[in-house]
Amino acid sequence: MTTRRTRQTSSTRATMGKPAPGKGRSTPNAVKPLRITDTTMRDGHQSIAATRMRAQDMAPIAAKVDAMGYHSAEVWGGATFDVATRYLNEDPWDRIRMFKRLMPHTPLQMLLRGQNLVGYRNYADDVVDAFVAHAAACGMDIFRIFDALNDERNLKRAHEAVKKAGKHSQLVICYSVTEEGRMGGQVYNLQYFVDKARTLEKMGADSICVKDMAGMLAPPDAYELICALKRAVKVPIQLHTHYTAGLASMSIWEAARAGVDVVDTCVAPLALRTAQPALEPLLVSLKGSPRDPGLDLNKAIEIGDYFETLAPYLKQFITDPRMAVIDPRTLTHQVPGGMVSNLISQLREAEALDKLPQVLAELPRTRKELGYPPLVTPTSQIVGVQAVQNVLFGRWKVISDQVRDYCYGLYGKPPKPVDLHVQEMALAGYKRGSKPITVRPGDILPPEMEQAKTDTEAIAKDIGDVLTYALYPTTGLQFLKLKYGQAPPPEPVRPAAPPPAAPAPTEAERPVTASARARTFNVFVEGKSFQVTVDPVSGTGPAHASETRPAAQAALPRAPISATPAAPPSTGPALAAGEYSIAAPMPGMVVKYLVASGARVKAGETVVMLEAMKMENALSSPIDGVVKQHASAPGAKVTRGQALAIIGPA
């Protein structure tokens, strides 16, 4: 066995850095050490544990991460800003400053959604300028800037702001496939990606990242794509991929052979599944080859051991019930893993989890009608929520404000035109008009910072506070009130303490070890599954589960499930004759009322904005009448069917 392993290792070392037969010549970088960006403290826990790692969880291990010798550490951006203020009661700006203090030798990296920054809409240019300048001042070194539609116009302002701050601007190509499951076809073919890379280099990118958020990049395509990009441009190329479909480790191996400069990985406890490939096996695979990163495997394992200690806290946020570490369905429905976990959470809140298969089937159709956008934040959320609404309420019967903005062009130019019928429905009665724009979205957005400063002058202490409000006016303002003691924290944003030490068990409570004859069964009760271990009370029981079938195998009676969910019954004030209730179609948060109590409204006029599934939904009056009552308040969390406003006859 030892001889065989040696022969395999020698073969690996001999071929690493050489092209596969018929694939062309090797690139110069194929003989340079591969550099590693660690994503554990941003994308790792965002992909697997709902971004719930707190600053207090990461601070104790930061010095050891700093000593690893990484190319960079991704520690901020993406969903970390929203989650910190919405759920953790933490100031996101403090997190950058903490990492800069604890990790002085490692460049800090963030994920920036172009003109969307760390939100879900395009912000005005003055917000982009202020955000980038403040992030740089707090300690951010590398800004990975992407646009969900690969519209380079939406990268321009953030890129210029990063260069003005003297920091590294890494511009991104979001990788996607059309319908075939592999690179090629009418949209996402090799020429598409090469042309994008050349455009980004001309813009002045310091490096270019291929961002494969759905884990769809197949190994042969990874090799072909990286080889083509290395020939087309001179700036360094980095690969970011996810393990969702099980391709990622093979794909970064092929990318390394093709000469990629940097790859993203995270340590094992927060790797695989929907996160990045694990660092540790990559180090072993490349050891002794020209591409050996030279990182210490034992130190990486030690860091991983620390993150294992967070399992009791983080496991409450891991909602994926699957046994499989990979999801091969991704190869067909092309939905990013993080998006699937969001859909599960959202459907559970809407009491429609049984509709997940229909939603996954609806997603490709909705995506095609919206012009094949890459499924990455915010377009993944926009397409995903619309697919949910199409299934729950009928196709295009309920359209979020973000879909209307998208069809108008406020998110940029899609790879393919939006279906004309869908566009007409989305823009019917749209506040900005029915004809989509063709200019850069930022060109038509009025400045926002001065108004944000005015709105927060009684509470904001610095520009970071103002930006928190500018990005998230509702939850951001709520956080600022908590931060400065003007409101008690509601339960969702109370920092969860580490679980207390369990008291010593009594004799009756001491754990009992099952015998070798024990067998584990899945038990299904009212749509929920439980694992139950059964052990014979004596040594005479069957040795194998197959010898005796469990007694109670009959299906339990279950309530019938209707094909189409009925409209939720409204809960709230009793209605007088002729009055109607505007009820929340799904759980969410009241953003604002657009019509004052006592004011007249027309049928179809928007009365209240509800944020549900991170999208804003305009809820309108069913009749001509008068707003008799606001049944809730801005910032309030509401349940499905809860009354938001009462409309009565004039």
Side-chain angles (χ1 to χ4, degrees):
M1 288 296 290
T2 303
T3 303
R4 185 178 180 185
R5 283 200 302 268
T6 302
R7 284 201 300 268
Q8 289 175 335
T9 303
S10 298
S11 174
T12 298
R13 291 174 181 172
T15 58
M16 174 52 67
K18 294 183 179 181
K23 289 291 185 178
R25 62 182 180 83
S26 175
T27 61
N29 260 29
V31 294
K32 294 180 181 179
L34 182 66
R35 287 172 280 163
I36 305 292
T37 289
D38 176 69
T39 62
T40 308
M41 295 186 287
R42 204 286 299 178
D43 206 353
H45 70 112
Q46 178 172 324
S47 295
I48 290 181
T51 330
R52 289 307 204 278
M53 273 207 297
R54 304 156 295 185
Q56 71 187 61
D57 299 322
M58 295 179 276
I61 199 63
K64 290 184 178 180
V65 175
D66 189 41
M68 277 293 294
Y70 289 125
H71 168 73
S72 62
E74 188 192 56
V75 297
W76 206 65
T80 59
F81 197 104
D82 181 23
V83 170
T85 58
R86 190 186 294 259
Y87 298 113
L88 302 182
N89 198 16
E90 289 183 6
D91 190 323
W93 302 104
D94 287 343
R95 187 172 291 195
I96 310 180
R97 290 185 279 257
M98 178 195 79
F99 278 122
K100 179 54 67 174
R101 183 177 70 254
L102 298 177
M103 298 173 60
H105 305 103
T106 304
L108 301 184
Q109 182 171 314
M110 76 162 293
L111 183 67
L112 189 71
R113 299 167 183 160
Q115 204 80 16
N116 295 164
L117 299 176
V118 288
Y120 303 103
R121 67 173 178 88
N122 275 351
Y123 297 93
D125 286 343
D126 62 337
V127 180
V128 174
D129 293 343
F131 181 92
V132 170
H134 190 56
C138 289
M140 195 52 58
D141 300 298
I142 301 173
F143 291 75
R144 176 177 289 174
I145 311 170
F146 77 92
D147 177 65
L149 296 178
N150 281 333
D151 187 341
E152 55 273 3
R153 299 175 304 170
N154 288 333
L155 306 176
K156 182 175 180 290
R157 190 69 177 216
H159 166 69
E160 291 172 348
V162 171
K163 299 297 284 185
K164 183 177 179 180
K167 302 296 184 176
H168 182 109
S169 176
Q170 181 178 87
L171 300 184
V172 172
I173 308 169
C174 292
Y175 182 82
S176 190
V177 294
T178 312
E179 292 176 339
E180 298 81 4
R182 291 284 300 276
M183 184 170 65
Q186 60 173 318
V187 181
Y188 299 107
N189 49 51
L190 184 62
Q191 194 61 49
Y192 171 91
F193 295 114
V194 168
D195 290 344
K196 288 292 180 184
R198 286 174 173 151
T199 297
L200 300 184
E201 185 178 49
K202 288 178 182 177
M203 289 175 62
D206 294 306
S207 61
I208 292 173
C209 175
V210 176
K211 179 177 171 59
D212 174 29
M213 52 281 167
M216 291 292 295
L217 180 61
D221 294 338
Y223 187 94
E224 183 179 10
L225 176 59
I226 298 301
C227 280
L229 295 182
K230 292 299 294 181
R231 288 192 294 264
V233 298
K234 293 183 171 128
V235 296
I237 303 294
Q238 185 157 357
L239 175 61
H240 171 92
T241 187
H242 289 248
Y243 201 81
T244 316
L247 299 171
S249 293
M250 295 182 288
S251 296
I252 63 171
W253 175 267
E254 287 298 294
R257 292 182 60 236
V260 74
D261 297 87
V262 193
V263 297
D264 289 3
T265 67
C266 53
V267 292
L270 288 165
L272 308 186
R273 294 191 180 270
T274 54
Q276 280 67 63
L279 168 67
E280 298 87 340
L282 180 65
L283 294 183
V284 173
S285 300
L286 293 176
K287 188 173 179 61
S289 78
R291 305 241 60 192
D292 186 345
L295 304 183
D296 191 317
L297 174 63
N298 290 323
K299 289 182 178 178
I301 292 173
E302 183 181 356
I303 291 170
D305 288 344
Y306 170 79
F307 286 110
E308 284 282 6
T309 68
L310 301 179
Y313 164 65
L314 291 177
K315 68 180 181 182
Q316 62 186 304
F317 305 111
I318 301 174
T319 59
D320 193 340
R322 295 177 299 113
M323 291 175 63
V325 173
I326 66 170
D327 184 2
R329 295 172 299 176
T330 302
L331 300 170
T332 56
H333 61 57
Q334 305 176 22
V335 180
M339 183 176 172
V340 171
S341 63
N342 278 340
L343 292 176
I344 290 172
S345 174
Q346 292 157 357
L347 287 169
R348 182 181 289 115
E349 288 183 357
E351 300 174 6
L353 189 56
D354 60 303
K355 301 300 180 187
L356 181 61
Q358 292 98 306
V359 170
L360 292 177
E362 170 65 22
L363 268 162
R365 186 179 177 189
T366 302
R367 181 191 182 217
K368 180 178 181 180
E369 290 169 331
L370 290 175
Y372 291 105
L375 294 178
V376 60
T377 306
T379 54
S380 60
Q381 189 71 9
I382 291 171
V383 174
V385 170
Q386 188 60 53
V388 169
Q389 293 175 335
N390 284 353
V391 169
L392 295 184
F393 309 117
R395 301 201 78 245
W396 303 104
K397 299 297 184 183
V398 175
I399 302 177
S400 72
D401 267 24
Q402 280 75 13
V403 168
R404 299 181 194 279
D405 291 344
Y406 174 95
C407 291
Y408 185 68
L410 287 187
Y411 285 89
K413 182 181 178 181
K416 287 288 183 180
V418 174
D419 179 275
L420 286 178
H421 181 56
V422 168
Q423 181 175 284
E424 289 172 3
M425 289 189 291
L427 296 182
Y430 180 67
K431 57 189 175 184
R432 287 185 166 91
S434 59
K435 185 177 180 180
I437 62 171
T438 57
V439 299
R440 183 182 76 97
D443 290 341
I444 69 167
L445 296 175
E448 299 179 51
M449 283 302 291
E450 288 306 315
Q451 185 61 51
K453 291 175 182 176
T454 299
D455 292 346
T456 58
E457 60 185 358
I459 191 170
K461 299 294 190 292
D462 60 18
I463 191 65
D465 289 344
V466 176
L467 284 164
T468 296
Y469 169 81
L471 295 172
Y472 290 98
T474 303
T475 58
L477 182 59
Q478 181 185 58
F479 167 74
L480 292 178
K481 290 178 179 179
L482 304 180
K483 177 180 176 180
Y484 293 114
Q486 296 185 15
E491 195 61 36
V493 299
R494 296 181 195 273
T506 65
E507 188 63 35
E509 296 171 331
R510 292 189 188 281
V512 178
T513 303
S515 75
R517 309 176 71 81
R519 292 295 179 265
T520 300
F521 299 92
N522 288 322
V523 178
F524 298 89
V525 180
E526 294 296 330
K528 298 181 180 180
S529 77
F530 306 86
Q531 284 195 348
V532 179
T533 300
V534 180
D535 201 2
V537 294
S538 69
T540 59
H544 299 287
S546 60
E547 294 177 13
T548 301
R549 190 172 299 277
Q553 283 284 327
L556 295 173
R558 301 177 66 179
I561 300 174
S562 61
T564 303
S570 176
T571 60
L575 299 178
E579 290 185 341
Y580 291 83
S581 168
I582 298 178
M586 60 193 80
M589 180 180 66
V590 177
V591 177
K592 59 184 174 182
Y593 286 91
L594 300 182
V595 181
S597 181
R600 290 178 176 269
V601 290
K602 294 286 188 183
E605 183 178 350
T606 300
V607 174
V608 58
M609 298 297 297
L610 177 73
E611 183 194 79
M613 305 181 190
K614 297 185 180 179
M615 297 286 109
E616 291 187 359
N617 296 270
L619 304 183
S620 57
S621 174
I623 60 169
D624 291 349
V626 174
V627 179
K628 297 290 188 180
Q629 181 183 349
H630 289 173
S632 188
K637 294 187 182 299
V638 295
T639 59
R640 179 173 180 262
Q642 183 172 334
L644 305 180
I646 306 300
I647 311 296

